[in-house]
Amino acid sequence: MSLGLRAEAIVKSYGGKPVLGGINYNFSTGKIYALMGANGCGKSTLMRILSLLESPDSGGVVYTGENGMALKHDIGLRRRITLLLPNAGLFNTTALKNAAYGLGVRGFGRSEAKKLALRALAAVGLGHKTKQNALTLSSGESQRLALARAVAIEPELLFLDEPTASVDPYNKEVIEDAILGMKGRRGIIMTTHDEAQAFRLADVVLVLENGVLREAGR
Ligand SMILES: Nc1ncnc2c1ncn2[C@@H]1O[C@H](COP(=O)(O)OP(=O)(O)OP(=O)(O)O)[C@@H](O)[C@H]1O
Ligand SMILES: [Mg+2]
């Protein structure tokens, strides 16, 4: 686990309306960051840019490897990071096959993929649902399965966009426990509108406001 991430003067506008006005931040490896801010302030935009799904208008997203050298934004790097979106689409097949999907894509053999997928499902309390079709899961279970699919590949840096939006307190707790269970083993950058949750889970709470990022005090 040695992936470093630095945001350098990231600027982004849509249709002439500025959203990100020069984001500078150095994310330490292996920490949990919670990103907060009002609806529409640009959190998801920043998450897409940091996870290399979208390009900024100007500025840079710099990933660094073990020796601190900047890494190319190639498929090798992209496979070390994952963005989980709210309402991530599940596939019309078993929970287990959903959880194993990213492993298959990454060339894991069938039995290794199954082992890792089962472990990820257990981590989100879905060990008893492996054979159920994903499309028949409750929405709280679906959200947990989407998290399992994202963590099964053991990304070094995991972006979670509102991982507990619209789930009940029980499912929220299961997801929070799964996130805390990963603490120290991988970097996590998550967004949330739940301030108490942000301070419960994160090493650092960040606030995005008027296009700039600041650290929030406890
Ligand atoms: N591809 C796009 N085209 C046009 N406008 C966009 C695009 N993506 C985002 N926006 C706009 O940029 C602004 C920031 O959106 P973003 O989704 O990043 O906010 P957010 O902080 O994640 O909000 P929320 O808390 O509601 O999820 C919004 O006004 C949104 O409509
Ligand atoms: Mg958003």
Side-chain angles (χ1 to χ4, degrees):
M1 192 184 59
S2 54
L3 209 50
L5 170 60
R6 209 162 61 234
E8 290 186 344
I10 292 173
V11 171
K12 186 78 184 180
S13 306
Y14 292 110
K17 184 180 166 288
V19 177
L20 304 176
I23 302 288
N24 287 293
Y25 199 76
N26 204 347
F27 294 89
S28 303
T29 53
K31 281 195 177 173
I32 300 184
Y33 292 87
L35 175 57
M36 302 198 62
N39 287 134
C41 74
K43 300 179 298 298
S44 297
T45 301
L46 181 59
M47 297 280 274
R48 288 195 302 274
I49 290 173
L50 292 176
S51 59
L52 306 177
L53 293 183
E54 194 171 327
S55 298
D57 298 335
S58 63
V61 177
V62 181
Y63 278 91
T64 53
E66 229 144 80
N67 49 13
M69 294 273 282
L71 299 170
K72 271 208 225 96
H73 292 181
D74 60 10
I75 183 82
L77 171 61
R78 285 165 200 270
R79 284 186 170 173
R80 298 168 71 181
I81 62 187
T82 295
L83 168 65
L84 176 65
L85 295 168
N87 312 313
L90 297 172
F91 307 119
N92 181 18
T93 182
T94 63
L96 178 61
K97 285 190 177 149
N98 269 273
Y101 175 76
L103 296 159
V105 169
R106 284 165 174 78
F108 283 80
R110 201 180 260 226
S111 67
E112 180 70 4
K114 184 172 177 185
K115 194 179 90 187
L116 293 170
L118 286 172
R119 190 159 76 193
L121 287 168
V124 297
L126 288 178
H128 60 304
K129 293 276 184 185
T130 60
K131 293 189 173 132
Q132 189 171 328
N133 185 295
L135 303 186
T136 66
L137 294 171
S138 77
S139 65
E141 289 166 349
S142 301
Q143 210 134 327
R144 279 150 58 195
L145 176 55
L147 178 61
R149 189 173 59 185
V151 304
I153 60 162
E154 308 204 327
E156 288 169 67
L157 188 54
L158 180 60
F159 294 89
L160 303 173
D161 199 354
E162 300 200 31
T164 60
S166 62
V167 299
D168 69 13
Y170 169 74
N171 280 279
K172 190 178 228 184
E173 195 178 325
V174 173
I175 291 171
E176 286 192 7
D177 285 349
I179 291 170
L180 284 173
M182 294 183 258
K183 199 164 190 152
R185 287 191 292 129
R186 62 181 50 101
I188 296 177
I189 303 176
M190 59 178 284
T191 66
T192 179
H193 286 290
D194 179 340
E195 188 171 0
Q197 176 185 66
F199 283 103
R200 242 187 338 265
L201 298 181
D203 298 299
V204 181
V205 177
L206 299 169
V207 179
L208 182 56
E209 197 176 17
N210 300 323
V212 295
L213 201 56
R214 62 177 164 83
E215 288 186 0
R218 272 178 200 265

